[in-house]
Amino acid sequence: MSRAIGRLVLRRTGFAVPVLVVVAFGVFVLAAASPFDPVHQYYGVELFGTSAADVAQVRARLGLDEPVLVQFWHWATGVFGGDLGVSRSFRQPVAQVVAQRLPWTLLLTATGLALAVVIALMLGTVAAWRQGGWIDRFVTAIGHALEGVPPFVLALLSIAVFSLGLGWLPVAGLTDAGAPVSFGQVAEHLALPALVLGISQSPWLVLHVRQSMLTSLSEDHVIGARARGLAESAVVLRHALPTALLPFVTLIGARVPELVTGAVLVEEVFSWPGLAAAVVTAATAVDYPLLAILTLVATAAVLIGSLFADIAAIVLDPRVATDG
Amino acid sequence: MLKRRALFVAVPVALGLLGAGCAAPSAPGTGDPRSMLLADGYEPESLNPLLGYGVEGAAKFYDGLLAFDGQSALRPALAGEAPQSTPDAKTWTVKLRDGVRFHDGTPFDAEDVVATYQAAINPAYASTVSSDFDMLADVRSLDPHTVRFDLKIPYAAWPSKLMLGIMPNEQLAEPKSQESSPPNTKPVGTGPYKLVEWRQGDQMTWEANPGYWAGAPAVGKVTVVFAKDDNTRAQRLVSGEFDGTVLPPVLAESVGRDGYRTVHHRTADFRSIALPNRHPVAGDRAVRLALNLAVNREGMIQALLGGHGKPAYAPIPESMGANFEPTARFDFDPERAKKLLDEAGWRVGGDGIRERGGVRAQFTVMYFADDSLRKDLARAFASDAKAVGIQVELAGVDRSAVPDRLATDGIVLGGGNPIDPDPQVYTSLHSSVIGTGTYNNPGQYRNAEVDAALDGGRQEVDQAKRAEFYKQAQRAYVADPGLVYLAFIDHSYVMRDGKWSGYQPPVEPHVHGTTWGPWWNVEAWKPQA
């Protein structure tokens, strides 16, 4: 089994490299075709009083007039040499931006995803087990309703209820204003954004778990287990759930792109200083170097997500053929 | 099987993490008066003066040679005394303050001033403020405590250019672009505060500079939290978290209670509609005059700014005192506007829109789509214009779309600086700046009388005589307006009451945020006994 996983990882990695190169190049081409002008970002409001001659000089100085292929080549050779380049919108090296922000985004998305999984497994299982009962009707109704609610609406609602209404949780930021970064502070500030991210991702997962549980509950081996007089908890958790888990795990991998999008919106609303919040800035600033790296990080997350899902599927069920 | 169990173990741990510290948030803003907590909607992109940080003064980490006194005058900061000029206003000598040190302990002297100003005008540094110093030919040190500026032209407004934050020359030794230079995120200046930490996108903490030349600030720690969304900031302020923030006027009024007060500061921050002067309709003299009579400025200020603004007729605000010409104004008189248009041959057509010689009285006005106030002003302008038979189409645009359209379309503009009339008026109205930059006289207004008055103001060092030139410019402008100035908008803030003394309402430039507003002079505030 481990050899199969090794082969899978190797094959996927071989496939990932060209994908990442194409994606990075795509970013440069798209950014070049966009109507945004990077020199505007470099200037910001200072542009209003600036003469055309001075702008032209700065353009030349920053190498913005070079063809997109040349800029891409500079960037790519830099990246392979370990230099990620300079972020114009953050006015510092890209490596510094990523190092400062990536950990916070990983923390947020990992916690959010873990929450979504827990919610999905619990509610989905209970709903399927008591199909047609009030819990099932309630969960299904809420699930379908939430599918259509964008994460930022959920975020604003939760701020209104939990922070302003009840005063339980802080509103935004990484710590209380002025407080140093500490475990307690960050945990407290992470709660609401992670919860919102988790809940916004959970409807599909919940409904999916419920559906596959219903299927597996009606399968022969589960019905057989029931007939042998096993305890109800054992029937559901030991016999029905493992069968239902398999498609669920692959679905989690497939949710990674949604998770990335959700993270952008949630970070924005909660002033969470992560990498996702920097995407918008980098995009509107046509900050090629940063935008390319951010896109690569997101692409890598998607690829890794689907790889993990497949590995998990092999682990959980040896009958699954690798890439077969 | 084992692996699956690991998954179930990991989850409660994650939940436990969330449970940690689910206590009610404390309100740190009510505590120690030596620290202050502010919220800003706008985060600086860099902290580098060469990239425009603190270019209007109040830069906190930096001092300029001169500083704004909050009303209309400049006072010496790193300069020991007022700058001296030759009678032709072409050469300026500045004596420097003695014994000042940068945050890193290096002494401040003439070399630092020379290096900073050289970097501002040397293209190698790719400074974004270079155009502000176009008139500077050379700067040199005469001795360690004296610098001399040689200008290309006589320029009486030069003191207003001495607000630029002075950087240590060690940081500028290498002539390279500022796109990722250390001062962008780690400023070293002589200012009243040092930067402790800047978590970009989240918050910034300043600490009092104990060796500040004007005395260490009593408010020893200032934290600025960044939250773009106005409503989020208002909500957090209501929960008692902040000592102050910046908000739109109506929202500010609604939250300024229970220990908070709302303040509205006068500004030189205008909003105007620039008209393309070569357009067959918008460039017509009668149409431009009629539009100035047709817009209900007071109505716009009441409806859109909650009454917090002053009508603007020309680019110089009342707050500029001696430079302001009170007779240069337009009445709100739509009937007279209609009469003017009739006399000029613009006849009302079947659909209520005027025509002349087959040309329909119609043109487009752009506004930056991300600025809701400008959008509202553009709409109000269009409806007032329609009332006198002129059709204004609106176009919300991105900044990059503007340059190509300025020759044919109007645009809502904003800007302003209370320190000197020249920087604001010359680039807005003088015909010589046409074509030198996107937003320099974008409507291509040409008026020989205005040009002459503005040139006179540049060359006259005597303040009283200089003011007369600007009054003349305003009178000449309103006789033949090239734009429609609408309002000088107030800037509104909410601040905690009764914790500090030292608040002095300033007259503000276009920029606003927590470095300005009530906190422009926070280094002079004292805890209230």
Side-chain angles (χ1 to χ4, degrees), chain A residues 82-224:
Chain A
D83 173 16
L84 300 186
V86 165
S87 160
R88 270 189 304 267
S89 56
F90 286 89
R91 310 264 166 90
Q92 50 189 290
V94 169
Q96 204 175 318
V97 177
V98 173
Q100 263 178 4
R101 291 171 166 261
L102 185 61
W104 301 125
T105 295
L106 286 177
L107 178 69
L108 174 67
T109 46
T111 317
L113 189 60
L115 276 170
V117 168
V118 174
I119 293 169
L121 286 177
M122 288 185 348
L123 293 182
T125 307
V126 172
W129 178 48
R130 287 276 177 259
Q131 195 197 353
W134 66 268
I135 292 185
D136 182 27
R137 287 206 301 273
F138 181 74
V139 166
T140 315
I142 294 280
H144 281 303
L146 274 180
E147 270 183 323
V149 177
F152 68 89
V153 172
L154 204 60
L156 290 171
L157 274 176
S158 66
I159 287 178
V161 174
F162 293 103
S163 303
L164 304 168
L166 301 167
W168 288 355
L169 288 168
V171 183
L174 185 62
T175 62
D176 284 343
V181 176
S182 66
F183 179 83
Q185 275 283 332
V186 174
E188 196 183 328
H189 281 75
L190 175 66
L192 210 49
L195 211 58
V196 167
L197 189 59
I199 289 175
S200 71
Q201 297 304 315
S202 58
W204 291 266
L205 299 180
V206 171
L207 297 172
H208 186 275
V209 169
R210 176 180 172 272
Q211 201 51 53
S212 49
M213 276 296 284
L214 286 177
T215 314
S216 69
L217 279 172
S218 62
E219 274 178 13
D220 291 349
H221 70 276
V222 179
I223 296 172

Side-chain angles (χ1 to χ4, degrees), chain B residues 10-47:
Chain B
V11 168
V13 173
L15 281 174
L17 177 79
L18 285 178
C22 277
S26 59
T30 49
D32 185 357
R34 281 165 309 180
S35 67
M36 183 183 285
L37 181 50
L38 305 172
D40 205 333
Y42 167 83
E43 180 171 20
E45 280 162 345
S46 89
L47 305 177

Side-chain angles (χ1 to χ4, degrees), chain A residues 35-36 41-43 49-52 54 61-62 91-92 101 115 118 164 167-168 172 174-175 177-179 183 188 268, chain B residues 11 17 21 23-25 37 45 124 126 128 130-131 175 177 179 184 199-200 202-203 221 225 228 235 398 400 436:
Chain A
F36 297 114
Q41 179 65 32
Y42 184 73
Y43 269 95
T50 303
S51 73
D54 285 5
R61 184 78 192 151
L62 300 181
R91 310 264 166 90
Q92 50 189 290
R101 291 171 166 261
L115 276 170
V118 174
L164 304 168
W168 288 355
L174 185 62
T175 62
F183 179 83
E188 196 183 328
E268 195 66 31
Chain B
V11 168
L17 177 79
L37 181 50
E45 280 162 345
T128 59
S130 54
S131 292
S177 135
E179 60 181 345
N184 295 353
R199 264 185 253 152
Q200 279 183 305
D202 187 11
Q203 61 182 47
K221 183 178 159 198
V225 175
K228 271 195 212 117
Q235 285 176 338
D398 178 77
S400 8
T436 58

Side-chain angles (χ1 to χ4, degrees), chain B residues 306-514:
Chain B
H308 301 290
K310 288 254 185 301
Y313 311 101
I316 292 180
E318 207 176 327
S319 57
M320 278 195 184
N323 297 301
F324 171 71
E325 172 57 68
T327 65
R329 59 186 311 259
F330 301 99
D331 293 323
F332 170 49
D333 192 348
E335 291 312 312
R336 202 175 131 225
K338 288 178 193 166
K339 208 159 133 255
L340 273 175
L341 291 166
D342 286 338
E343 285 166 2
W346 292 98
R347 298 269 173 259
V348 182
D351 58 354
I353 302 302
R354 294 170 185 269
E355 280 188 5
R356 184 173 74 181
V359 178
R360 200 175 142 81
Q362 180 178 353
F363 61 95
T364 302
V365 167
M366 300 179 282
Y367 59 87
F368 296 141
D370 57 6
D371 186 323
S372 60
L373 175 62
R374 293 186 192 203
K375 180 175 74 183
D376 293 344
L377 286 169
R379 282 185 180 160
F381 174 74
S383 94
D384 286 347
K386 193 153 189 177
V388 296
I390 295 169
Q391 174 135 9
V392 174
E393 301 290 337
L394 299 179
V397 295
D398 178 77
R399 283 164 175 73
S400 8
V402 171
D404 300 337
R405 298 179 57 172
L406 280 173
T408 53
D409 297 335
I411 184 168
V412 185
L413 290 179
N417 190 327
I419 294 163
D420 192 281
D422 178 84
Q424 167 162 341
V425 184
Y426 202 91
T427 50
S428 301
L429 300 180
H430 201 283
S431 66
S432 71
V433 303
I434 293 174
T436 58
T438 306
Y439 294 97
N440 290 349
N441 192 349
Q444 308 193 2
Y445 176 69
R446 288 172 195 277
N447 180 325
E449 273 183 81
V450 171
D451 284 357
L454 293 180
D455 287 327
R458 279 195 158 185
Q459 289 158 18
E460 180 55 66
V461 283
D462 178 89
Q463 285 302 325
K465 288 185 188 156
R466 202 172 161 230
E468 197 42 53
F469 278 114
Y470 289 106
K471 291 178 138 179
Q472 170 55 31
Q474 289 160 82
R475 289 192 296 267
Y477 167 83
V478 294
D480 172 25
L483 310 79
V484 183
Y485 281 92
L486 300 174
F488 293 105
I489 64 168
D490 288 357
H491 291 171
S492 307
Y493 302 87
V494 184
M495 55 195 272
R496 196 182 288 282
D497 218 3
K499 200 169 160 185
W500 295 281
S501 59
Y503 165 63
Q504 292 175 351
V507 177
E508 298 193 21
H510 176 57
V511 96
H512 63 309
T514 47

Side-chain angles (χ1 to χ4, degrees), chain A residues 43-55:
Chain A
Y43 269 95
V45 291
E46 299 306 317
L47 192 69
F48 291 94
T50 303
S51 73
D54 285 5
V55 174

